[in-house]
């Protein structure tokens, strides 16, 4: 890992800005770059001590991106992209490499001077007479701005489950999304209990197992994961990969504009192929598709029988990799493949062949409590631990927004407006919350895309809108209730064409007790979504009221 850049918070804060941006991850950084070009005075509040967002906080062992390095970066400046393309060390970057890139971008565009680090927004209230947002921070600032832009990310509100006795545990415990940065966590000689087997847990377990005396993985829901087949990026591999990506884009051509997310890669349906052809095709996907495995055939995400073919292929793989049949059986996922966020791994199933790794099924025998010695199950079994790792995920999409304590027109809280699920127009604006924009908000493709693409898409579109407002001398814009209802219904209808809503996942809010069950992101995919938001802009921002 590179050394932490020192970012002393010396910048003064004015009483008033044109724009306040919350968060200095990839969304906040690019937004700052663009609003500066419009000449809008702007401050960014960031609760971390440096840029990078997700890639600042998630320093857990094995943290890595499952989108390819060559595309998981900004496209807005072709020179930035080409200058950097031979610097990515691996096909799938580790967290430190991505954080280095974020820092490089901050330097290159001189972003830090407008970012106030170690500063969390604690409240944002709309002042109707002034047509401004009043934003408060945990450092006692109270600052006004015409526009409030949330760049808080979708997966930044870490969740440690409420297990009785955690405060009595005598060892260390950590959440993957809030991993300690001040010191290296050393697992050697330690008995480690890991709770959770989503993307974070699946990345962490193989790395923890390499040094821990013993690792016990507590699994509530077995998940499908596809090998990353990560490789170092030599210049030859870079050139070949860029060519492959260009070919794919050319093949898709204009058809991309009308294909939904699950239709982007496929050219045929599952049962168009004979069983032998299918097996060969799944094998090809297993070897090369990584996270796109469930999109190989056009109907995997819509036809239960087709989905089961793909799921069974992966189950056979698990049986062939995991040597102990009983452990293999415990690892068998039973939900439609792809309907939880598709995991990509390096040696996950193989980890259970190690003599120092045990898998416990906590669906069958749930966690009852934590004691000073470790974790105790409902049946009374004690799993002794020196360290507990919570890979238990996030209050996704709405959690980070609610954390800002946003109060809109007449003091209405965003939490209350969204009590039965998020309601947005285009995933970026909400009725009752004028001049508030949510980058990669609920109802946009965000987490169901290469999220940096989604970020740039939102920032570009919003920059054009802000420019339009400047030209028209408009200082208040709000989504219409009716346009919002139509958009929210469109997102739900799109999801209901697929198998996604059938599974308990964080997309559905199912991981958070009491959270409404609503499929939160938009499944249209980036290309179709671009067409849709462009159309709104062309129709003079139809669905927004400007005054
Ligand atoms: O979190 P998760 P994550 N008791 O919610 C379990 C992105 N990401 O941090 O499935 C016991 O997926 C829970 O069980 P269940 C990516 O979008 C990307 O792993 O709810 N167990 C599950 O096993 C990803 O999807 C990368 O039954 C409990 C796990 O904890 C998203 O972040 C890397 C529990 C949580 O899995 C979130 O991933 C990492 C409880 N009370 C993350 N509560 C990339 O590679 C939860 N669990 C880009």
């Amino acid at each position: 890992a590179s050394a932490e850049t020192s970012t002393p918070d010396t910048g003064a804060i004015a009483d008033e800005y044109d724009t306040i941006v919350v968060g200095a991850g990839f969304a906040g950084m690019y937004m700052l770059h663009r609003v500066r070009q419009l000449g809008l005075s702007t401050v960014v509040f960031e609760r971390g001590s440096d840029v990078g967002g997700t890639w600042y906080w998630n320093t857990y062992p094995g943290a890595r991106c499952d989108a390819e390095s060559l595309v998981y970066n900004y496209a807005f400046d072709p020179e930035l992209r080409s200058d950097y393309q031979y610097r990515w060390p691996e096909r799938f970057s580790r967290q430190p490499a991505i954080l280095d890139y974020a820092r490089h971008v901050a330097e290159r565009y001189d972003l830090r001077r407008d970012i106030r680090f170690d500063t969390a927004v604690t409240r944002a209230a709309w002042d109707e007479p002034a047509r401004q947002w009043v934003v408060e921070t945990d450092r006692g600032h109270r600052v006004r701005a015409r526009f409030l832009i949330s760049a808080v990310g979708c997966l930044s509100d870490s969740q440690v489950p409420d297990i009785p006795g955690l405060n009595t545990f005598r060892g260390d415990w950590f959440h993957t999304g809030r991993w300690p940065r001040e010191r290296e966590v050393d697992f050697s000689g330690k008995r480690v209990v890991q709770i959770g087997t989503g993307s974070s847990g699946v990345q962490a377990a193989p790395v923890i197992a390499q040094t821990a005396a013993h690792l016990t993985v507590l699994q509530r829901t077995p998940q499908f994961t596809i090998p990353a087949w990560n490789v170092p990026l030599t210049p030859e591999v870079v050139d070949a990969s860029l060519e492959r990506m260009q070919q794919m884009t050319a093949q898709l051509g204009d058809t991309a504009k009308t294909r939904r997310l699950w239709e982007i890669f496929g050219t045929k349906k599952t049962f168009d192929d004979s069983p032998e052809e299918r097996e060969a095709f799944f094998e090809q996907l297993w070897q090369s598709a990584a996270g796109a495995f469930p999109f190989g055939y056009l109907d995997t995400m819509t036809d239960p029988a087709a989905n089961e073919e793909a799921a069974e292929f992966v189950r056979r793989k698990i049986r062939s990799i995991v040597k102990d049949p009983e452990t293999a059986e415990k690892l068998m996922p039973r939900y439609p493949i792809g309907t939880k966020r598709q995991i990509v791994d390096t040696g996950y199933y193989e980890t259970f062949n190690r003599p120092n790794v045990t898998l416990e099924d906590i669906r069958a025998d749930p966690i009852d409590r934590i004691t000073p010695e470790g974790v105790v199950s409902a049946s009374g079994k004690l799993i002794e631990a020196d360290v507990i790792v919570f890979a238990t995920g996030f209050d996704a999409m709405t959690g980070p927004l609610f954390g800002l304590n946003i109060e809109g027109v007449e003091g209405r809280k965003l939490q209350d407006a969204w009590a039965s699920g998020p309601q947005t127009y285009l995933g970026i604006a909400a009725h009752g919350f004028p001049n508030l924009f949510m980058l990669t908000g609920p109802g946009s493709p965000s987490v169901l895309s290469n999220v940096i693409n989604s970020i740039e898409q939102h920032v570009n579109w919003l920059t054009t809108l802000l420019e339009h407002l400047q030209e028209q001398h408009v200082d208040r814009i709000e989504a219409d209730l009716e346009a919002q209802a139509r958009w929210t219904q469109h997102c739900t209808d799109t999801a209901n064409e697929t198998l996604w809503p059938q599974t308990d996942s964080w997309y559905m809010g199912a991981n958070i007790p009491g959270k409404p069950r609503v499929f939160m992101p938009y499944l249209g995919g980036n290309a179709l979504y671009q067409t849709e938001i462009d159309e709104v802009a062309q129709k003079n921002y139809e669905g927004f009221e400007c005054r």
Side-chain angles (χ1 to χ4, degrees), residues 60 64 66 161 196-200 203 220-221 340-341 391 393 506:
Y60 62 85
R64 187 183 283 289
D66 57 15
T197 54
S199 295
S200 305
Q203 288 183 334
R220 186 163 71 179
T221 309
K340 276 176 177 278
R341 157 66 190 247
W506 59 255

Side-chain angles (χ1 to χ4, degrees), residues 158-222:
S158 304
Q159 290 295 304
V160 176
D162 189 13
I163 304 174
L166 177 58
N167 58 351
T168 68
F169 181 58
R170 68 171 170 224
D172 288 329
W173 63 268
F174 310 105
H175 186 283
T176 50
R178 282 284 178 281
W179 204 256
R181 343 179 38 81
E182 61 289 351
R183 65 186 170 105
E184 193 87 4
V185 177
D186 181 8
F187 294 106
S188 50
K190 304 262 172 72
R191 295 160 305 174
V192 182
V193 168
Q194 177 187 309
I195 307 175
T197 54
S199 295
S200 305
V202 164
Q203 288 183 334
V207 180
I208 295 173
Q210 282 168 19
T211 53
H214 196 90
L215 170 66
T216 307
V217 176
L218 307 190
Q219 170 194 266
R220 186 163 71 179
T221 309

Side-chain angles (χ1 to χ4, degrees), residues 55-186:
W55 302 103
Y56 170 85
W57 294 105
N58 283 266
T59 57
Y60 62 85
R64 187 183 283 289
C65 186
D66 57 15
E68 293 195 42
S69 312
L70 292 173
V71 289
Y72 191 82
N73 58 68
Y74 290 120
F76 70 83
D77 180 347
E79 267 180 40
L80 166 67
R81 186 165 256 197
S82 61
D83 286 355
Y84 218 87
Q85 69 194 12
Y86 294 101
R87 289 175 61 173
W88 294 108
E90 295 171 281
R91 181 180 175 205
F92 295 102
S93 285
R94 292 179 61 226
Q95 170 270 335
I98 304 174
L99 185 57
D100 279 350
Y101 172 74
R103 289 170 172 161
H104 169 84
V105 171
E107 296 300 326
R108 186 166 176 141
Y109 302 95
D110 188 21
L111 298 177
R112 281 200 174 87
R113 68 184 152 91
D114 290 322
I115 306 174
R116 299 295 168 264
F117 294 100
D118 300 310
T119 307
V121 168
T122 50
R123 181 165 175 250
W126 174 246
D127 176 349
E128 185 68 67
R131 299 186 163 200
Q132 280 178 325
W133 283 96
V134 182
V135 172
E136 295 171 13
T137 76
D138 62 350
R139 302 182 91 170
H141 308 113
R142 196 180 149 86
V143 189
R144 292 179 164 269
R146 178 77 59 221
F147 300 106
L148 176 61
I149 302 177
S150 144
V152 292
C154 298
L155 295 156
S156 50
D157 186 1
S158 304
Q159 290 295 304
V160 176
D162 189 13
I163 304 174
L166 177 58
N167 58 351
T168 68
F169 181 58
R170 68 171 170 224
D172 288 329
W173 63 268
F174 310 105
H175 186 283
T176 50
R178 282 284 178 281
W179 204 256
R181 343 179 38 81
E182 61 289 351
R183 65 186 170 105
E184 193 87 4
V185 177
D186 181 8

Side-chain angles (χ1 to χ4, degrees), residues 219-297:
Q219 170 194 266
R220 186 163 71 179
T221 309
Q223 293 220 37
F224 294 101
T225 149
I226 306 295
W229 308 112
N230 199 13
V231 287
L233 282 183
T234 60
E236 296 72 35
V237 177
V238 170
D239 293 339
S241 303
L242 291 174
E243 201 180 311
R244 164 173 57 84
M245 288 167 183
Q246 270 161 14
Q247 271 171 8
M248 256 181 62
T249 312
Q251 260 168 25
L252 278 172
D254 267 0
T255 69
K257 289 187 187 147
T258 52
R259 293 179 186 221
R260 276 84 56 88
L261 174 74
W262 66 92
E263 301 162 328
I264 282 187
F265 300 107
T267 53
K268 56 186 173 179
K269 290 187 171 179
T270 305
F271 300 106
D272 293 343
D273 275 349
S274 69
E276 295 73 27
E277 286 165 338
R278 242 187 338 265
E279 187 72 9
F281 186 56
F282 282 137
E283 184 61 38
Q284 187 192 325
L285 293 173
W286 175 265
Q287 298 292 338
S288 60
F293 182 91
F295 310 139
Y297 283 114

Side-chain angles (χ1 to χ4, degrees), residues 31-54:
M31 193 74 239
L32 172 61
H33 179 60
R34 294 303 308 272
V35 286
R36 272 183 185 170
Q37 292 168 347
L38 296 180
L40 296 175
S41 63
T42 302
V43 68
V44 181
F45 290 122
E46 165 55 55
R47 65 181 166 168
S49 307
D50 201 356
V51 295
T54 283

Side-chain angles (χ1 to χ4, degrees), residues 5-16:
T5 312
S6 156
T7 51
D9 186 28
T10 50
I13 296 184
D15 294 337
E16 201 172 313

